[in-house]
């Protein structure tokens, strides 16, 4: 019994569409609500309006205990995301090179602990991390969030950068060393530029990690003046006052857009990086 | 001097590992033996926190452990089966349509956690503003308070679906790497579509499949933020798994000692899983 291949494809398409529709609906609804005035009771915007987008960038809707302007919140989010990115590029760029190229005592131990940490869910250590940050006296600072989030992202990052260094022919390095380049020059001027694609991927992943972080900001930051977009949005959702769904959708979309763009940018490289060497 | 150079390169990495993995892991054990509270100072109480847990002196712990098992099994099933199904179906469909479906199913991964939680809270909102209730009212059915009626189911769906993009992406790549001749040969030999999936494709992608299963087991076991935002673990612990219970004990009730004892259970469980499957998690070591 053979079903015609064409019919089979159509059936498959219908099946996929049914499976995907609820998910698609969620995002379409988010979009339509953000460009409507008043909550939607159907699936089509009945009063199209850019009201909440204008509100977002001028004066936020009045609600008790909420900030008045979005700009400092965006600024804080960028500080956290940028901080995680810069720290991770620095740490992974250095360590990835050493692990790939240099010989040192304890390298085996470091490699096997990195392997375990790659799978180890750092979130379980949250209570003790809070304790450590308390003793470092950096609770309620951006530094606390940046350090913790960077620590969470850097195992994967080091691994990716190490892979990129592994692929660079050793002759390049040897030639430079014969020419008398110092270690720092060799690393900074010659090796680092050669792994630029790897740094780009790791940098973007770190930025996304910092940008989307919720639990660290929520746990380690107490002042409203240091809120990031995630905690701001969560406070809006959790606030007991009547919720403006148009505005919530707009904040959500605005918060989501940079992440979608960045993922779109690195998605191909990401799959390859994760699979690289694993499946052949 | 020259011998020191490698250590300068790895120093920042080592410092961060010490501060955020080693010291917290050791401190968790230490704190779990104290009655530490809000002041972040505590007296040594020996194994009291652990006996409180294991002798079921804590009346909700049984419930919480049961929740953890249901949640883990449900979310894993959705993530793995969903990802496998979508990777296969989009590959068979091919072309622009396949790419379109993969794109939509990648969206959850590109959604910040708070936004993802918000979508679920909103979709199942008990008022007429909720997406589901709105659709129901359009076809003349009454709305309901979905989140308090089926908290566990919603939490399982929200987390399970969130895992699909990762599973689907990796499995798509793995399926794409299967030589075309193998599939074609078995088709000529008369294998049906399902037979090809179960007898040929799945064995050939066994490694990524087990990697993803372990990875997500660890991830579901320890993440709690979506549950915290969507149901808050309630009503009455109905959707509280161990990880969320740990967080709430520590940061809501400020019982850091007991919270750390709970965290120790999660740490030991994770280490057992990781060491048990080290070979697979090691991406075959050389990668």
């Amino acid at each position: 019994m053979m079903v015609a291949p064409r019919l089979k494809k159509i059936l498959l398409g219908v099946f996929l569409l049914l499976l995907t529709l609820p998910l698609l609906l969620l995002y379409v609804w988010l979009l339509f609500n953000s460009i409507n005035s008043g909550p939607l009771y159907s699936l089509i915007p009945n009063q199209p309006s850019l009201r909440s987008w204008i509100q977002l960038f001028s004066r936020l809707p009045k609600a008790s205990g909420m900030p008045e302007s979005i700009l400092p919140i965006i600024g804080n989010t960028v500080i956290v995301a940028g901080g995680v990115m810069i720290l991770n590029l620095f740490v992974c760029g250095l360590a990835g090179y050493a692990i790939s190229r240099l010989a040192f005592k304890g390298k085996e131990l470091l490699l096997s602990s990195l392997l375990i940490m790659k799978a180890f869910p750092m979130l379980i250590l949250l209570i003790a991390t809070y304790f450590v940050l308390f003793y470092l006296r950096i609770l309620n600072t951006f530094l606390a969030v940046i350090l913790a989030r960077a620590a969470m992202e850097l195992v994967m990052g080091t691994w990716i950068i190490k892979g990129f260094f592994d692929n660079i022919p050793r002759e390049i390095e040897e030639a430079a060393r014969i020419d008398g380049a110092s270690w720092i020059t060799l690393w900074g001027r010659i090796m680092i530029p050669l792994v630029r694609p790897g740094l780009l991927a790791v940098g973007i992943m770190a930025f996304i990690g910092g940008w989307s972080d919720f639990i660290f900001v929520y746990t380690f930051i107490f002042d409203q003046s240091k809120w990031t977009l995630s905690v701001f949005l969560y406070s809006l959702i959790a606030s007991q006052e009547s919720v403006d769904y148009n505005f919530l959708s707009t904040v959500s979309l605005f918060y989501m857009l940079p992440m979608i763009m960045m993922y779109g940018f690195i998605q191909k490289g990401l799959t390859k990086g994760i699979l690289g060497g694993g499946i052949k | 001097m020259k011998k020191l150079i490698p250590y300068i390169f790895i120093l920042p990495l080592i410092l961060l590992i010490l501060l955020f993995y080693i010291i917290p892991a050791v401190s968790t054990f230490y704190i779990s033996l104290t009655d530490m509270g809000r002041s972040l100072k505590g007296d040594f109480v020996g194994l009291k926190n652990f006996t409180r847990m294991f002798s079921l002196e804590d009346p909700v712990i049984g419930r919480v452990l049961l929740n953890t098992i249901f949640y883990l099994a449900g979310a894993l099933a959705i993530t793995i089966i969903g990802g496998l199904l979508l990777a296969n179906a989009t590959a068979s469909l091919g072309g622009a349509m396949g790419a379109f479906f993969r794109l939509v199913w990648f969206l959850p991964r590109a959604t910040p956690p708070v936004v993802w939680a918000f979508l679920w809270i909103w979709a199942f909102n008990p008022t007429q503003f909720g997406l589901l209730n709105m659709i129901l009212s359009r076809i003349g059915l009454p709305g309901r308070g979905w989140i308090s009626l089926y908290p566990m189911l919603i939490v399982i769906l929200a987390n399970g679906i969130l895992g699909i993009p990762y599973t689907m992406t990796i499995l798509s790549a793995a399926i794409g790497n299967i030589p075309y001749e193998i599939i074609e040969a078995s088709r000529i030999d008369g294998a049906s579509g399902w037979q090809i999936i179960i007898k040929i494709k799945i064995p050939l992608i066994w490694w990524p499949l087990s990697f993803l299963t372990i990875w997500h087991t660890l991830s579901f076991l320890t993440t709690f933020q979506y549950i915290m935002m969507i149901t808050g673990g309630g009503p009455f612990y109905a959707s509280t798994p161990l990880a969320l219970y740990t967080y709430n004990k520590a940061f809501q009730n400020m019982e850091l000692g007991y919270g750390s004892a709970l965290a120790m259970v999660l740490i030991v469980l994770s280490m057992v899983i990781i060491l048990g499957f080290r070979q697979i998690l090691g991406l075959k070591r050389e990668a």
Side-chain angles (χ1 to χ4, degrees), chain A residues 34-109:
Chain A
S34 87
I35 52 168
N36 199 50
S37 179
L40 280 185
Y41 291 108
S42 67
L43 288 174
I44 298 140
N46 51 356
Q47 291 170 285
S49 145
L50 288 176
R51 179 184 59 100
S52 38
W53 284 96
I54 294 165
Q55 271 180 334
L56 183 66
F57 292 106
S58 50
R59 221 193 166 98
L60 302 181
K62 267 212 166 64
S64 60
M66 288 295 154
E68 285 186 354
S69 163
I70 190 92
L71 296 177
I73 299 170
I74 298 174
N76 294 344
T77 317
V78 172
I79 291 174
V80 169
V84 175
M85 182 179 78
I86 292 167
L87 186 62
N88 254 12
L89 285 177
F90 178 70
V91 176
C92 301
L94 283 172
Y97 175 71
I99 293 170
S100 167
R101 282 297 204 265
L102 308 178
F104 54 91
K105 248 194 198 142
K107 189 167 161 179
E108 272 304 303
L109 179 69

Side-chain angles (χ1 to χ4, degrees), chain B residues 168-214:
Chain B
M168 178 193 69
T169 312
I170 291 199
L171 292 180
S172 290
I175 289 171
N177 280 348
I178 298 176
Y180 183 69
E181 298 81 37
I182 296 182
I183 310 256
E184 206 42 47
S186 46
R187 191 164 290 147
I188 291 167
D189 288 346
S192 73
W194 279 111
Q195 278 175 327
I196 291 178
I197 291 179
I198 289 168
K199 297 231 169 105
I200 311 232
K201 283 188 180 171
I202 290 188
L204 281 174
I205 57 169
W206 191 246
W207 180 80
L209 209 55
S210 25
F211 164 76
L212 287 167
T213 309
I214 298 156

Side-chain angles (χ1 to χ4, degrees), chain A residues 23-37:
Chain A
L23 184 68
L24 198 58
L25 208 60
L26 280 178
Y27 287 96
V28 170
W29 209 45
L30 192 69
L31 176 67
F32 284 171
N33 260 290
S34 87
I35 52 168
N36 199 50
S37 179

Side-chain angles (χ1 to χ4, degrees), chain A residues 8-9 12-13 15-17 19-20 23-27 29-30 33 39-43 87 90-91 93-95 97-99 102-106 108 110-112 114-136 139 144 147-148 150-152 154-155 158-159 162 166 177 183-184 187 211-212 214-215 218-219 230-231 233-234 237 245 248-249 252 255-256 259-260 263 267 270-271 274-280, chain B residues 2-3 5-10 12-14 16-17 19-21 23-25 27-28 30-31 36 39-41 85-86 88-90 92-94 100-101 103-116 118-123 125 127-131 134-135 138 161 166 169-170 173-174 177 193 207-208 211 215 218-219 222-225 228-229 246-247 250-251 254 256 259-260 263 266-267 270-271 274-275 278 281-287:
Chain A
K8 219 168 150 185
K9 244 186 184 174
L12 195 64
F15 166 73
L16 271 175
L17 190 66
L19 202 66
T20 310
L23 184 68
L24 198 58
L25 208 60
L26 280 178
Y27 287 96
W29 209 45
L30 192 69
N33 260 290
L40 280 185
Y41 291 108
S42 67
L43 288 174
L87 186 62
F90 178 70
V91 176
L94 283 172
Y97 175 71
I99 293 170
L102 308 178
F104 54 91
K105 248 194 198 142
E108 272 304 303
L110 181 63
L111 273 173
S112 46
L114 277 179
L115 271 179
I116 291 175
M117 283 192 310
K118 200 156 72 170
F120 190 80
M122 200 192 126
L123 272 184
I124 333 175
L125 301 175
L126 199 64
I127 302 172
T129 306
Y130 184 87
F131 185 72
V132 169
L133 294 170
F134 171 78
Y135 277 100
L136 290 175
L139 273 179
L147 286 174
M152 195 170 170
L154 59 71
V155 181
T158 304
W159 217 258
K162 172 200 172 282
D166 285 345
R177 202 172 302 159
W183 280 99
I184 293 296
W187 176 75
W211 180 264
S212 64
F214 167 69
I215 207 71
Y218 183 73
T219 312
S230 60
V231 179
L233 182 59
Y234 181 64
I237 298 165
Y245 282 110
L248 274 179
S249 323
S252 301
Y255 182 29
M256 215 181 131
M259 253 176 89
I260 293 191
Y263 261 119
Q267 199 200 346
L270 210 63
T271 332
I274 293 166
L275 289 175
I279 307 157
K280 268 179 188 150
Chain B
K2 211 161 177 191
K3 273 204 163 150
I5 287 167
Y7 296 103
I8 297 171
F9 274 82
I10 58 168
L13 177 74
I14 300 290
L16 281 170
I17 290 176
L19 271 180
F20 291 96
Y21 290 89
I23 296 176
S27 319
T28 305
Y30 162 72
I31 299 170
M36 186 180 289
S39 64
L40 294 182
K41 288 185 182 68
L85 197 73
L86 281 160
N88 258 304
T90 54
S92 310
L93 198 63
F100 167 75
F101 286 120
L103 187 75
V104 175
W105 279 98
F106 191 78
L107 275 178
R109 194 163 166 80
T111 306
V114 184
V115 177
W116 182 246
F118 168 56
L119 285 174
W120 287 82
I121 296 168
W122 197 14
N125 187 301
T127 69
Q128 79 273 27
F129 295 115
L131 179 60
M134 188 269 288
I135 292 171
R138 289 260 141 187
I161 291 176
Y166 189 55
T169 312
I170 291 199
N177 280 348
W207 180 80
F211 164 76
W215 180 272
L218 288 165
S219 149
T222 53
T223 50
F224 51 83
Q225 45 181 347
M228 185 173 113
M229 288 188 270
T246 305
Y247 184 86
F251 293 106
M254 291 314 277
L256 279 89
S260 296
L266 286 171
I267 292 174
S270 309
M271 284 313 282
I274 293 172
L275 293 177
R278 206 167 147 191
L281 285 163
L283 291 165
K284 287 187 182 159
R285 201 63 215 252
E286 54 88 34

Side-chain angles (χ1 to χ4, degrees), chain B residues 26-57:
Chain B
V26 176
S27 319
T28 305
F29 181 60
Y30 162 72
I31 299 170
S32 74
L33 302 175
T34 70
D35 61 356
M36 186 180 289
R38 194 178 300 274
S39 64
L40 294 182
K41 288 185 182 68
D43 293 323
F44 188 81
V45 294
L47 293 174
K48 212 178 119 207
N49 289 320
F50 290 95
T51 48
R52 179 177 166 196
M53 189 185 341
F54 289 120
S55 64
L56 304 185
E57 198 183 304

